[in-house]
Amino acid sequence: MPAHKPAKPSRAEVEKLRREIEEHNYNYHVLDRPTVSDAEYDALLRRLEEIEAKWPEFRTRDSPTQRIGAPPAEGFSVVTRAVPMLSLENAMAEEEFRAWRERLVRAVGSAGEGDYVAEPKMDGVAVELVYEDGTLVQASTRGDGVNGEDVTPNVRTIRAIPLRLMHPAKGAKPPKTLSVRGEVYMPLADFERINKKQMESGEKLYANPRNTAAGSLKQIDPGVTATRPLKFFAYGIGSAEGTTIRSQWDLLQALRRWGLPVNPLSKRCQTIDDAIAFHNELEEKRPKLPYEIDGVVVKVNDFGVQEEAGTRSRSPRWAIAWKFPPQEARTRVLDIEVQVGRTGALTPVARLEPVRVGGVTVSNATLHNADEIEKKDVRVGDWVFVRRAGDVIPEVVAPVKELRKGSLPKFKMPEKCPVCGTRVVRPEGEAVTRCPNFACPIQVRGRLIHFVSRGAIDIEGLGFKLVDQLVTAALVETPADFYKLTVDDLIPLERMAEKSAQNVIDAIERSKHTTLPRFIYALGIRNVGETVAEVLAEHFGSIEALMEASEEELSSIHGVGEVIAQEIRTWTSVAGNRKLVRDLVKAGITFARAPRATSTELAGKTFVFTGTLTKFTREEAEAEVKKRGGKAASSVSKNTSYVVAGENAGTKLEKAQKLGVEVIDEDAFLRMIRR
DNA sequence: ATCCCTCGAGTTCA
DNA sequence: CTCGAGGGAT
């Protein structure tokens, strides 16, 4: 377009443009169904900005362009409200929840028997929004309920919050003055993203989404708040005067019609058991939700019954917050111990005062490596927040620095291996610190355990306890020694009678019949996992050929680069390792033919399995895929053809959805391979 | 030289 | 599951 001046639009045209932008905001934030791309949305907003810049007479305070614009505040003034924002009584367990209902029924008679609304309890910041004639004029934090802080300029930057209410053609118009209550929160993914950025720029990490949301709302400069990905769910109003709304459920629908986001999981419950079921279902969904919740709020639906139930000094009798057991808990670091793995990697692990998190007692949490400890600045004696990452593995989130008394010494990686005393090394640019002593007893033991593990040689009944005993009794030093064991060797060991000893010996015997990839993997060469072992087996066809391979030949293989090639060549040139392979072969190890792909029906397809599979094991499924010429990968990318999701699928499922990868369930997978 | 996809290794608790 | 890093594509 040539740079000619556009004609001045009419007031109606500007208004139409605003409505269009508001509509898109509504679709996106309230209905969660975007109807235009971000780029299209931005284009509309930019056009409006240009018009308003050129013809200032069109500027209005409630225009979508006016989300940022107020100058930084001098601090926050206090807002005093006529109808206080009450807090809720808490219930921690089902009995307490039922007790609440008993009291309710006593207070209001049979009216309290049924008809509730159950809503997720957002873990965010409670705010009140005041709309005058449909325009947002004030926003405040809850504060003590009566007095809150005026955070209007900051709240205006939150896109999920309409600056103007919508007036549906049919249905109740909002009252002249409407105070909406709800929760400002930060989605988990956004929280993680900005924390990652903080980490990269070496800044302080935020403890959790709620604190980050609260901190964002209390920014002096609304420009800063505008950069924070905050969202909002409305759940109530200050007073229902001037409306015809007579129940909580109708209120939620009305809020939604007025253009305010309402949590779609909220549910009307006809009986107390429905509410209990809702709580339990939500607790299960909780780890998969894109935001944090800390419980369920159950309210009496009918406003008339609510009034009858009345309010105690600080909380209404007609509502209760039934909390979930915390997923994040505070505890103390008793010690930081350093473990040594089979490759000699030194891993610091925090020993914690046992604490219940998400239903289990946590007493250990990995701290990964020295950098990680440095980054989080965790010290022995600190109070720390612990959470179960991805549903399972405990993780130290951050120390509570305010509770650090005096000065605690910083953690330092030991200079010597805690097991064998050898001076440890940390190669330039690497995160791990290692003990270089190949003969370090813990490495020896680690290699033995790896050798017998599932996926490797797989000796059933030979676990880490028994390996420990065998090493201590000097019966086993290298994997080849397993094949020299007799029942009489085992019987003197703890918890070993003749029967179990015989079972172990039998299992050892059975393990002699294996496959080449498993055997190569079992050797425990650094960076040679199951996949690389398979590639090597495919290429060389025999262990002897692999043992004689040159570095050049190795690195020419697809999937093997310089690093791995050198690692393998170094390993195969060590006399002890060559002897180990000879001894194992002499002991009678034989290799089954690797099952070749029997069809090509899944050729070119890549599968990723995630979650708890109930109809088959992951190994079986992967074998089926390979048999049909397909590939089984461990992580989801845009190259993935299908993600097969079992129960409780976690981040991989999310990623699949984000990348638009097809997700199928176990049955669909079975149908696919049965054909 | 850089980015993206994978793989490998280490870890927790019931 | 998560992180770091190897390998290959661009």
Side-chain angles (χ1 to χ4, degrees):
Chain A
M1 266 246 279
H4 74 91
K5 291 231 158 54
K8 179 173 171 178
S10 71
R11 193 161 289 273
E13 281 168 329
V14 177
E15 188 53 25
K16 184 164 167 268
L17 182 55
R18 280 195 191 125
R19 284 202 189 281
E20 198 179 339
I21 293 170
E22 284 168 354
E23 179 81 25
H24 293 321
N25 249 334
Y26 177 77
N27 288 336
Y28 185 85
H29 290 288
V30 182
L31 302 182
D32 215 12
R33 274 197 300 268
T35 40
V36 290
S37 69
D38 289 358
E40 287 168 281
Y41 176 86
D42 288 342
L44 290 174
L45 193 62
R46 230 175 303 122
R47 208 161 87 216
L48 182 59
E49 271 168 357
E50 282 165 17
I51 292 170
E52 290 180 352
K54 195 163 285 170
W55 297 285
E57 61 269 34
F58 285 137
R59 277 184 211 163
T60 61
R61 195 66 190 99
D62 58 8
S63 168
T65 58
Q66 296 303 300
R67 290 195 177 269
I68 323 172
E74 278 297 328
F76 298 97
S77 54
V78 173
V79 171
T80 305
R81 47 180 80 85
V83 185
M85 287 175 84
L86 299 170
S87 53
L88 292 180
E89 187 187 336
N90 286 329
M92 304 308 290
E94 191 177 321
E95 307 88 76
E96 293 174 40
F97 176 64
R98 284 188 184 277
W100 163 76
R101 190 246 183 176
E102 295 301 317
R103 286 197 302 277
L104 179 71
V105 173
R106 272 202 296 280
V108 300
S110 61
E113 297 277 348
D115 203 7
Y116 304 92
V117 174
E119 305 165 26
K121 183 175 188 306
M122 300 299 297
D123 197 8
V125 186
V127 296
E128 181 180 69
L129 315 172
V130 179
Y131 288 88
E132 291 279 1
D133 296 318
T135 299
L136 178 66
V137 294
Q138 187 183 65
S140 54
T141 58
R142 200 180 82 86
D144 64 5
V146 175
N147 298 304
E149 280 177 311
D150 186 337
V151 288
T152 313
N154 290 337
V155 165
R156 293 179 65 88
T157 67
I158 302 171
R159 290 216 174 157
I161 294 179
L163 299 179
R164 279 197 303 194
L165 295 179
M166 295 176 75
H167 301 270
K170 276 180 236 149
K173 261 179 84 167
K176 187 164 166 47
T177 299
L178 178 72
S179 55
V180 176
R181 276 118 192 237
E183 200 89 355
V184 168
Y185 68 96
M186 181 176 287
L188 274 169
D190 293 304
F191 166 74
E192 275 152 22
R193 206 188 62 229
I194 68 175
N195 234 2
K196 199 169 167 192
K197 246 191 245 160
Q198 289 290 107
M199 191 180 283
E200 278 158 9
S201 55
E203 312 249 358
K204 170 168 151 268
L205 296 184
Y206 299 107
N208 57 51
R210 178 171 39 83
N211 288 356
T212 318
S216 303
L217 269 191
K218 293 195 177 163
Q219 290 293 319
I220 297 295
D221 181 358
V224 175
T225 312
T227 66
R228 302 288 171 79
L230 297 176
K231 293 194 144 198
F232 178 77
F233 277 135
Y235 53 67
I237 53 177
S239 150
E241 265 167 60
T243 72
T244 55
I245 300 165
R246 295 309 299 149
S247 75
Q248 174 67 13
W249 187 249
D250 290 348
L251 172 64
L252 293 180
Q253 315 311 317
L255 288 168
R256 185 179 268 266
R257 280 198 304 272
W258 293 333
L260 289 150
V262 170
N263 195 319
L265 296 175
S266 300
K267 197 178 168 194
R268 190 161 174 192
C269 298
Q270 291 300 341
T271 69
I272 202 71
D273 290 321
D274 289 348
I276 292 169
F278 179 81
H279 175 275
N280 295 343
E281 280 160 28
L282 197 60
E283 188 171 359
E284 260 182 44
K285 277 190 208 148
R286 182 188 189 191
K288 284 174 255 167
L289 293 177
Y291 42 75
E292 290 202 322
I293 56 174
D294 55 358
V296 168
V297 175
V298 180
K299 297 172 184 164
V300 168
N301 187 32
D302 190 277
F303 283 176
V305 180
Q306 286 190 5
E307 269 159 43
E308 207 181 319
T311 294
R312 300 185 306 178
S313 61
R314 310 236 354 121
S315 55
R317 278 198 198 86
W318 46 265
I320 190 161
W322 182 4
K323 300 247 188 144
F324 294 135
Q327 260 189 331
E328 200 170 281
R330 212 175 64 177
T331 187
R332 214 110 85 105
V333 178
L334 302 176
D335 195 11
I336 297 178
E337 276 177 25
V338 176
Q339 297 180 351
V340 185
R342 82 174 154 98
T343 63
L346 270 63
T347 309
V349 176
R351 301 283 170 225
L352 307 167
E353 194 147 289
V355 64
R356 284 193 72 80
V357 184
V360 301
T361 306
V362 167
S363 40
N364 304 300
T366 177
L367 292 166
H368 300 295
N369 54 53
D371 286 350
E372 183 86 1
I373 297 183
E374 180 74 23
K375 225 159 36 191
K376 291 185 175 165
D377 192 20
V378 179
R379 307 182 190 187
V380 174
D382 264 336
W383 282 96
V384 291
F385 280 106
V386 177
R387 88 176 150 208
R388 296 219 299 154
D391 221 9
V392 212
I393 296 174
E395 170 186 51
V396 170
V397 183
V400 190
K401 294 230 175 108
E402 296 72 35
L403 291 180
R404 187 180 283 167
K405 299 232 174 62
S407 61
L408 296 170
K410 273 204 167 187
F411 173 82
K412 267 192 67 198
M413 264 305 199
E415 285 173 12
K416 290 183 174 165
C417 171
V419 179
C420 68
T422 305
R423 180 165 287 280
V424 299
V425 293
R426 180 171 170 193
E428 184 100 24
E430 281 190 26
V432 260
T433 310
R434 272 178 216 283
C435 163
N437 179 13
F438 193 71
C440 176
I442 201 105
Q443 288 191 43
V444 170
R445 202 193 68 167
R447 284 195 298 270
L448 291 169
I449 290 167
H450 172 76
F451 183 84
V452 303
S453 71
R454 218 157 43 88
I457 282 293
D458 190 15
I459 304 179
E460 227 183 296
L462 230 177
F464 119 107
K465 278 267 171 64
L466 187 51
V467 169
D468 235 11
Q469 291 189 60
L470 291 169
V471 173
T472 312
L475 287 165
V476 170
E477 205 176 320
T478 81
D481 296 333
F482 288 123
Y483 297 96
K484 295 176 191 146
L485 291 172
T486 64
V487 171
D488 292 337
D489 287 333
L490 297 180
I491 287 175
L493 301 176
E494 268 173 68
R495 309 193 46 179
M496 250 324 140
E498 196 160 336
K499 185 77 192 287
S500 26
Q502 188 59 54
N503 284 344
V504 172
I505 298 296
D506 290 347
I508 292 174
E509 191 57 33
R510 275 201 305 277
S511 76
K512 287 181 181 172
H513 192 64
T514 186
T515 66
L516 186 53
R518 292 170 83 98
F519 182 78
I520 295 172
Y521 171 63
L523 296 175
I525 304 169
R526 179 109 59 92
N527 289 326
V528 177
E530 282 165 297
T531 308
V532 174
E534 227 161 90
V535 170
L536 292 170
E538 175 86 1
H539 181 92
F540 292 103
S542 78
I543 186 62
E544 289 76 17
L546 173 64
M547 293 304 287
E548 302 312 322
S550 70
E551 212 175 303
E552 290 70 43
E553 182 175 7
L554 285 162
S555 59
S556 74
I557 302 168
H558 187 93
V560 180
E562 261 172 66
V563 176
I564 296 182
Q566 201 191 341
E567 206 73 63
I568 297 170
R569 188 64 198 119
T570 305
W571 196 92
T572 55
S573 57
V574 171
N577 294 334
R578 301 182 68 83
K579 180 168 181 326
L580 169 65
V581 171
R582 278 200 309 276
D583 288 348
L584 285 168
V585 171
K586 247 188 273 167
I589 300 269
T590 58
F591 303 108
R593 274 249 154 267
R596 304 288 303 188
T598 53
S599 85
T600 55
E601 59 182 300
L602 296 181
K605 300 273 190 251
T606 304
F607 289 76
V608 173
F609 295 90
T610 186
T612 315
L613 303 170
T614 54
K615 308 219 151 89
F616 39 79
T617 69
R618 185 167 304 217
E619 286 72 27
E620 284 163 6
E622 289 176 355
E624 293 296 327
V625 169
K626 283 183 203 160
K627 226 163 50 182
R628 290 166 175 74
K631 259 176 60 181
S634 54
S635 54
V636 181
S637 73
K638 62 176 197 285
N639 303 332
T640 310
S641 319
Y642 300 100
V643 168
V644 183
E647 275 161 50
N648 294 320
T651 53
K652 282 186 209 168
L653 180 57
E654 268 171 54
K655 192 159 178 204
Q657 283 157 353
K658 199 157 69 193
L659 293 174
V661 171
E662 191 169 345
V663 177
I664 60 177
D665 64 13
E666 290 179 78
D667 290 321
F669 173 70
L670 284 175
R671 282 195 297 277
M672 199 179 278
I673 62 169
R674 284 285 137 79
R675 239 175 317 146

